[in-house]
Amino acid sequence: MAIQKDMHLSDKEPQRLDQELDVYRIEMELQNTELRRAQEELESQQIELEMQNEELKNAREEIEVSRNKYSELYDFAPIGYFTFDAHGRIMEVNLTGAQLLGTERGQLAGKQFASFIADADGREIFSGHLERVLQSPGIQKCDIRLSRKDGFGIYGQLQSVTLDTVENRDRYIFSSIVDGTAGKQLETEIQDAREYAENIVETVRKPLVVLNSDLRIITANQSFYETFQVTLEETIGNFIYDLGNRQWDIPKLRTLFEDILPHNTVFNGYEVDHHFPGIGRKIILLNARQIFRKNIGSHIILLGMEDITVRKQAEESLLKAGALQSAIFNSANFSSIATDAKGVIQIFNVGAERMLGYTAAEVMNTITPADISDPREVIARAEALSLELDTPITPGFEALVFKASRGIEDIYELTYIRKDGSRFPAVVSVTALRDEQDAIIGYLLIGTDNTARKMAEEALLKAGALQSAIFNSANFSSIATDAQGVIQIFNVGAERMLGYTAAEVMNKITPADISDPREVIARAEALSLELETPITPGFEALVFKASRGIEDIYELTYIRKDGSRFPAVVSVTALRDNQNTIIGYLLIGTDNTARKQIEAEQQQLSQRLRDHQFYTRSLFESNMDALMTTDPSGIITDVNKQMEALTDCTRDELIGAPFKNNFTDQGRAEAGIKQVLREKKVTDYELTAHARSGKETAVSLNATTFYDRDRRLQGVFAAARDVTERKRLDQVLQEKNFELESARTVAEKTNHAKSDFLANMSHELRTPLNSVIGFSEVLQDQLFGPINEKQQEYVKNILTSGRHLLSLINDILDLSKVESGKMVLELSEFSLQESLEASLMMLREKALKDGIDLHMEPASQVDVQIVADQRKLKQIMFNLVSNAVKFTPAGGAVNVSAVRDGDFMEITVADTGIGVRKEDIPKLFHAFTQLESVYTKEYEGTGLGLALTRQLVELHGGRIWIKSALGKGSRFIFTIPLSQETVRESTTENSSATVLLIDDEPLTMAAMGNSLLGRGYRVLQASNGMNGLEMSLHAAPDLIVLDLLLPGMNGFELADRLHKGECTANIPILVLTAMDLSAADRARLDGKVWRIAEKGSLSSHEFIRLVESAVADRMPVTQRG
Amino acid sequence: MPHRILIIEDNANNMILLRDILTFHGYDVAVASDGKDGVLLARDLMPDLILMDIQMPGMDGMTAGQILKGDPATSGLKIIALTSFAMQGDREKFLAAGFDGYLSKPISTRELPGLVQQWLAPGEQT
C-alpha cells in the first residue's frame, strides 16, 4: 500500500513547481507597486521640505528685521541689559548697562562683570547668582553694589535668566540691572527710623508693637514679650493675629484693623477680652496710631497695649458681688484699693483718694498698699502671722494679704499713711480676687476710717467694713431685698446655707418663701399684738420692725432647697437711700444649729450628771457594807441604809453626829479616823458597832480620804463590814474544804479500787486466754498430728483473736499500772541500734506480707549505748511501728530514723499511711478514746496503744508528738534521754567508794550498776543473800544496797547478820524494796539499816542521790573505824 | 529415765494443755487440780519440777508452796509459780515465799519446753 502511494506522488512533482512559480510572479508585482508608491511619497516630502526652508528663510529675515527694529529700544532702555557667558564674562551690553558700569560699551566685551562689583561679598553673591541661573529655570534675583570708575556707588538689583542658543552648545545669561540707589537710600532711612522707633518702643513699659501695613509685626518691646509670653522668633515678621501658638483670632481686633484702620489714623481705648491658650484670659486695652511713611509710600502701625485684666476682673468681681459692694466701692466713705496678684495697685477709688490724699494716677501701677501703711505695723503683722501660721511671711504686701490668699476671712486694723505724711487708723477687710479658674488675680482691700467708726460705731456696724465682711463671709447668709422683699442679693453664705444659687432666687422670691410658714404666721400674729397694728403674714412680718427703725434680731427656721430645715438667728436692717427712704432690706442670718446642738448637749450633760449622781447614790446604797462619809473632823455627812441598820438610827439622826458615837470604843473609833487622815487609808480596822437597840456587831473598817476636783480634802469615806458574816463564811469554807478533802480521799480510794479491779480482771481474763492461745499454738504446730487446711485457717483465726485480746488486756493492765504509779523503769544499758532493730524484726514479717517497705534510715545515729527500760522501749517502738504498718496501705513505706539531740535521742517513725485529721490529733494519745468512726472499722486495734506509748515515753522523761497530713502519712516522734541520770558533777569525788548491790533481779542490778559505774563508783554485785554476806565481809564496801526479797537468805536475815558482824556493822545499808512494809517489818529493820526506799517510786537520779548521801554519811564512820 | 513433772492447776484446760505439751516433749507428767492434792502428790512422787498455779480454790498455790518448802522432806523440790499476777512486786512475793521460779501466764507453748529444760538443769537459778 505505502509503496503505491509514493509512486503516485512522484507523478505529480512537475505540476507543483509550476504552481510555486506563479506565486513568485504575483509577489514580485506587488513589490514593484509598493516601490512606486514610496517614490511618490519621497517626492512630495521633498517639496514640503523646500517649502519649509523657504519659511525658515522668511522667519530669519523677520527676526533680523525685528532685531534691528528693537535694537534702539534695547540700547536706550532705562534698564541695563547684559548678556553673560557661563563664566560671568560680559558678551553683550546695552548702553544703559555700560553707563551703569561707567565704562565704554566697546571695552566691556569679554570683561568679568565681577570686576565691577564693589565688595568681595557682592562678588560671592554674583557667582552664586550665576550658578542658580544656570541650574534652574525662570528669573533669579540678587542685590548688588557696583563700583564705578568715577567712585560713584550704584545699588542695583540683578535679574537674570538663561538664554539658550539655537545650537544649544553654549548657554548665555541674560540679565537686567535697575539702578536702585535712590530706593536703597530710602530703605536705609527707614531702617534708621525703625531702629529709632524700636528704641522708643523698648523704653515704653507697657506692651507695644509696630506693625507694617500687612499687619506683620516689625518690632515689639520687652513688655509685650512678657505679657503674652512669646519669643522674639515667634513674634517678629508674624501676622499680629497669629503670634506663635497664641492665637489672636479675635473678631474685634480684625474689625479694628480691617475696617477702622484705613479710615482712621488714630484710635484709642479698644478693649480686647480674649482667652489666650497657655496664659489664660487677658483683657487688653489697645491704642493704635497709623503712620503714613511718605517716602516709602506705606503705613506702619504703632499698637500700644495695656493689660487691664486685673482691674477689669476686680471690677467684674465687684459687680458680681452685688449692689451693696458696688455701692461701697463707689462710696467716698470707703477706701477701696484693688491690686494685682503682686500687690501693685490697679484700682484706687474716690474714697481712697479722699482718705489717703493720693490721686489714682499717682499710685496706680506704681506702689502697693504696703507702701502707704505704717511699716512698723506691717513688720509686726508679718511676725505675728509667721508665728500664727507657722510659715515665714515677708514684711510687706504679703503680710497684708497672706490670710486672704489662703482663703481666710481677714479683717484687721492698720494705720494708713496719707500723702502728706499724716496717719489714720483704718479697719481693713481683705478679699482675694479670683479668676474663673480660682487663681488669685489680685486683692481688694476695703478700708474704713476707724476714727469715724469709733465716733459712730453703731452706724458703721450697719454699713461698715464689718458688715461688708459679714456680707462676704460664707458663714453668714446675707440676703438683700428690694423694698417689696424680692431678693436682690443672695451671698455665698446664703447659697451655702440654703442650697439655692443666687440666680435661682434673685428677682424671684422673698425671704418669707424660704422660711417656715407657720413661724411666719405666728410672727405676724405676735407682732400684730405687740405693735397693735395688723401685720400680714409674709415678708412684712419678717421686716416690719426693721422698717420702723427698730433693731430686730429673731430666731427663724429657714427651709433649704432640699426641704430640710435649720434654725437661724436673723438680723434685719432696712436699707435707705439718701432721702432716708427705704429701698430694701438686708437680712443677715447665722446658722443656729451649732448653738442649738450645744444647748442640747448641755442638757444631755446635765442629764448625765444627774444620772451619774443617781448611779453613785445607787452604788452607795446597794453596797453590802455600812457606808458613811465624814468631814475631816469626823462628823458624819452621809450614810447608806446598811449604816442605818447597823446603828439602828435614821439617816437624819446619823448625819451631823460624830462618827465615834456609834462604836463601843469611841477612842479607838476616833483614832481610826485620825489614822485615815494621816495615812490616807486604813484597812481592816476592827471596831465594834454599837446600835441603839444595844446590839453589838463586830465590824472591819476600811476607809480612805476623799477629795474634790481641786484636790481639796473633803473628808473620809468609810465602809464598815460586818465580820460576823465573814467568820461564818470562813467556817463554811473550812467545811467545804474538808468535804473536798474527803471527796478527794474517796476519789483516790476509788482510783485504787479501779486499779485493783483492773488487775483482777486481767487475771480472770488471762487464765482462759492462756488455754485458748496455748491450744491454738499446739494445734497450729500440729504436735499431735496433721490438721487440714481449713482447720489450720480457723486455728490461726483463734490464735490471732486470742493474741489481740491478750494485748488488749496487757495494755489495760499497763495503763492501770502507770496510772496507779506502780509502773517503774527497769533500767539497763544497751545498744540502741540492737534494740530498735529487734523491734523492727518483730514486725518485719507482717510488713513484708502487707507489701510495706519497713526499714531504718541508714543515716540514723543509733550507734549509741542508752540507759533505759529496754522492754518498755521495745514496747514503744512496737506500738508505733505496728501502728504505722497497720495504717499504711500496700506499697507504702514505714521509715524509722533516729538523731541525737544533746542528751536525748529523737526517734521518728514515719509512714505514708492514711494520716490523722488535725482535729483528732489532741485525742490521739488519750486512753479509752479511740478515733472510732473514721479508723477502727477498717483497722482493728486496742486504741490504748498510743496512750500507753505516751505514758512509757514520759516515764522515761521523754516526749512524744505527731505530725500528720490526712491522706499523706504521719510522723510519730518521741524523745528519750540517753541516760536517766542528769547530774554528773560529783563523778570524780566518789570514785573511790565501793557499793555492793545485793539483788536477785539481774535487770534491776544492771540498771543500778550502770548508774553507779557511770558516776565512778566501784560496783560489786551479789544475786543472793549468802553471796551478799560473803562479799560484805571480804570487800568491806562503803554501802550495801539490799533487796529484801531474795532467794535463800532474805534481806531481813542478811541485815541482821551484817549488823551483828564486827566488820560489817558500820557499813550503811540502803534497803530498796518493792514490798509494802508492815510496822513489824520496819521495827525489825530499825537501827540496822541506814534508810529504806521504795523501789517503784525511785528514779535513777534519786537513787544516785541516795547513794551519794549514804557514802557521805559513812565517811566519819569509816575514819572512826 | 525421763524427768518427772508435777502440774498443779485447777483450770482443766490449762492443765491439759501443759500436760500434753510436756508429755509430747517426753516428760513424765503428773497432774493435780488443787493445792491439797498437789502437796500430797508431790510428797508421793517427789517430782523433778513442780509447776504450781497460784490462784486455786481450796488450798491456793502460795500455801501449797509454803507447805512443801517448809517441810524438810520436800523443801528441796523445785517449785515454779504459774500465775496471772503481773502487778509490780508479785515476783518478789513468790520468791519470798520460797518459790524457785516464776512464770507469768499466758505461757507460750513454744517457749515452755525450753524454760522447763532450764529449770531442770542442775545448779541454775533464775
Side-chain angles (χ1 to χ4, degrees), chain A residues 755-756 759-760 762-764 766-771 773-778 780-781 783-784 799 803 806 813 816-817 822-824 826 999-1001 1024 1043 1045-1047 1074-1075 1095, chain B residues 9-21 23-25 53 55 83-97 99 104-111 125-126:
Chain A
S755 293
D756 288 350
N760 285 334
S762 87
H763 170 75
E764 293 301 328
R766 272 187 213 224
T767 306
L769 258 184
N770 195 25
S771 45
I773 291 167
F775 281 117
S776 307
E777 280 173 351
V778 173
Q780 201 178 44
D781 293 349
L783 286 187
F784 302 100
L799 197 54
R803 282 180 179 151
L806 184 63
L813 191 62
S816 68
K817 267 191 198 173
K822 287 185 180 166
M823 178 80 84
V824 289
E826 295 171 12
D999 202 325
D1000 67 328
E1001 205 179 15
N1024 62 47
D1043 187 6
L1045 295 169
L1046 294 167
M1075 272 175 75
K1095 233 184 198 176
Chain B
E9 163 69 86
D10 68 316
N11 185 299
N13 285 334
N14 283 344
M15 189 264 280
I16 290 163
L17 180 66
L18 289 171
R19 184 195 67 192
D20 288 2
I21 290 166
T23 305
F24 177 84
H25 282 92
D53 186 22
Q55 260 199 345
T83 175
S84 297
F85 286 123
M87 305 297 274
Q88 180 70 33
D90 281 357
R91 198 182 58 84
E92 284 77 5
K93 250 183 258 171
F94 301 126
L95 295 182
F99 283 87
S104 173
K105 290 178 182 179
I107 298 155
S108 167
T109 59
R110 286 155 195 177
E111 288 169 16
Q125 273 195 323
T126 308

Side-chain angles (χ1 to χ4, degrees), chain A residues 475-699:
Chain A
N475 296 318
F476 297 96
S477 100
S478 298
I479 304 173
T481 72
D482 61 14
Q484 282 69 48
V486 180
I487 294 173
Q488 299 299 318
I489 297 177
F490 198 76
N491 83 335
V492 280
E495 286 184 333
R496 192 180 64 80
M497 284 185 199
L498 287 154
Y500 291 96
T501 65
E504 285 172 322
V505 294
M506 272 163 70
N507 282 316
K508 293 191 177 115
I509 58 170
T510 79
D513 299 326
I514 50 169
S515 306
D516 185 332
R518 278 170 306 178
E519 286 183 21
V520 175
I521 292 164
R523 184 164 168 80
E525 281 169 3
L527 283 176
S528 301
L529 274 175
E530 184 187 333
L531 304 172
E532 288 176 354
T533 174
I535 290 165
T536 332
F539 181 68
E540 189 183 11
L542 299 184
V543 298
F544 193 82
K545 274 191 161 178
S547 72
R548 296 292 162 99
I550 305 165
E551 186 82 5
D552 198 13
I553 296 173
Y554 51 89
E555 287 193 15
L556 182 68
T557 300
Y558 272 138
I559 300 173
R560 293 196 187 88
K561 191 182 179 184
D562 63 9
S564 61
R565 289 151 182 266
F566 72 94
V569 170
V570 180
S571 139
V572 186
T573 318
L575 301 169
R576 291 164 196 277
D577 63 11
N578 293 342
Q579 284 72 48
N580 210 28
T581 313
I582 288 174
I583 52 161
Y585 296 92
L586 177 64
L587 292 87
I588 294 176
T590 52
D591 188 341
N592 208 21
T593 315
R595 208 175 72 195
K596 289 264 180 196
Q597 269 172 356
I598 288 166
E599 278 171 13
E601 268 168 34
Q602 272 172 349
Q603 203 170 356
Q604 234 175 355
L605 272 175
S606 62
Q607 180 61 43
R608 266 172 56 194
L609 186 66
R610 279 197 297 277
D611 287 351
H612 190 73
Q613 281 168 344
F614 182 74
Y615 172 72
T616 311
R617 190 75 229 165
S618 302
L619 274 184
F620 200 65
E621 286 299 341
S622 64
N623 203 299
M624 292 271 292
D625 297 338
L627 302 183
M628 76 222 80
T629 58
T630 73
D631 65 15
S633 61
I635 302 297
I636 294 174
T637 50
D638 196 5
V639 294
N640 69 351
K641 288 232 157 48
Q642 281 68 33
M643 184 65 185
E644 290 179 285
L646 185 71
T647 56
D648 213 7
C649 294
T650 66
R651 181 178 163 82
D652 291 339
E653 287 164 339
L654 286 166
I655 292 175
F659 161 81
K660 61 181 182 186
N661 288 3
N662 300 294
F663 298 92
T664 48
D665 187 345
Q666 294 195 5
R668 182 169 164 76
E670 195 159 11
I673 288 287
K674 281 182 179 150
Q675 194 184 332
V676 180
L677 292 172
R678 198 168 56 245
E679 295 168 8
K680 301 209 186 315
K681 68 181 257 184
V682 297
T683 48
D684 299 332
Y685 194 85
E686 300 275 346
L687 283 172
T688 303
H690 175 79
R692 189 162 36 194
S693 60
K695 180 185 75 175
E696 288 186 358
T697 315
V699 295

